[in-house]
Amino acid sequence: YFGTEINRLRHLIVPTVSYTYKRKPNVVASRLYSFDSIDSYDDEKYYTFTLENKLQTKWYTEDGHIKEEIDLISFRNSVKLYPQIEGNQFSNITSSLKIQPKRWLEFDFGSSYNPYSKDFEIFNTGTKLTKDKWSLAFSSRYTKGTSTQDEFAEGIVDATYTLTPKWKIGVFEKIGRAHV
């Protein structure tokens, strides 16, 4: 289908529920080195609900004998529930979509949707081409804050060439624009 190798196509639906509990440190906060906001947390308890849909197939490996399992399409949605919080107990709904129609071609999309403001706060796109010793990736990111001054868009180009198994050379360029 569209030149994509499909052998034994199957659809998987994977629902997941997890519980996270981070206990408040028993050391006074002033005695701890706080590098960023992750290091200065209080008690945190939440459930994460995830639903993943996959379309999988098997591709022949380079030697032409054994088949390897590949996710042609993977779509995941997740949301966190904070039961101890009054009011808005749910986090943003995060979504990711990955499409790999060929060994050398990948498309990635990701978003974060705020159910209370009914708006997308983050939207990412990416394309990656890989062939033998080189890879070329293009991506873009849009972030919307609480005001127009917080809006930000950027584009990224990343090219890599493998010289030896231990050495690579690459070029990375990021172009950003605030106040979109």
Side-chain angles (χ1 to χ4, degrees):
Y1 191 71
F2 293 113
T4 300
E5 181 183 350
I6 297 177
N7 301 299
R8 296 186 178 178
L9 186 67
R10 71 177 179 174
H11 178 218
L12 296 175
I13 299 174
V14 183
T16 308
V17 177
S18 63
Y19 177 73
T20 302
Y21 173 69
K22 295 179 185 175
R23 185 176 164 95
K24 182 178 180 178
N26 57 4
V27 176
V28 180
S30 62
R31 295 194 61 202
L32 294 174
Y33 175 72
S34 182
F35 182 74
D36 57 18
S37 63
I38 293 173
D39 297 328
S40 59
Y41 65 84
D42 204 358
D43 277 352
E44 191 173 30
K45 304 170 196 167
Y46 59 87
Y47 295 92
T48 305
F49 300 92
T50 304
L51 182 63
E52 185 172 17
N53 279 282
K54 293 181 181 183
L55 275 179
Q56 291 182 332
T57 190
K58 294 190 176 205
W59 286 349
Y60 289 100
T61 58
E62 298 295 326
D63 62 9
H65 294 96
I66 304 168
K67 293 182 181 179
E68 58 182 318
E69 193 173 276
I70 298 295
D71 293 340
L72 288 176
I73 299 173
S74 176
F75 182 60
R76 174 188 292 228
N77 288 308
S78 65
V79 65
K80 293 178 183 174
L81 168 64
Y82 297 89
Q84 74 277 7
I85 296 176
E86 296 293 326
N88 299 344
Q89 293 182 316
F90 289 97
S91 69
N92 285 0
I93 300 167
T94 58
S95 300
S96 65
L97 172 65
K98 181 179 177 182
I99 303 170
Q100 186 176 4
K102 301 280 189 184
R103 265 180 227 282
W104 52 269
L105 180 62
E106 293 178 21
F107 300 103
D108 289 303
F109 305 93
S111 66
S112 177
Y113 178 78
N114 186 324
Y116 303 106
S117 67
K118 295 182 173 54
D119 203 1
F120 285 94
E121 293 182 352
I122 298 173
F123 191 78
N124 302 318
T125 63
T127 302
K128 185 175 182 180
L129 307 164
T130 307
K131 200 70 169 170
D132 299 326
K133 294 185 173 195
W134 61 267
S135 70
L136 182 61
F138 303 96
S139 60
S140 64
R141 179 179 184 90
Y142 169 75
T143 305
K144 180 179 182 183
T146 55
S147 67
T148 56
Q149 286 77 27
D150 296 335
E151 292 181 10
F152 188 77
E154 66 184 2
I156 298 170
V157 177
D158 186 5
T160 306
Y161 183 79
T162 303
L163 298 169
T164 69
K166 293 185 178 184
W167 286 89
K168 290 182 182 180
I169 187 169
V171 176
F172 180 88
E173 180 66 33
K174 184 191 298 187
I175 301 167
R177 182 174 163 215
H179 311 291
V180 176

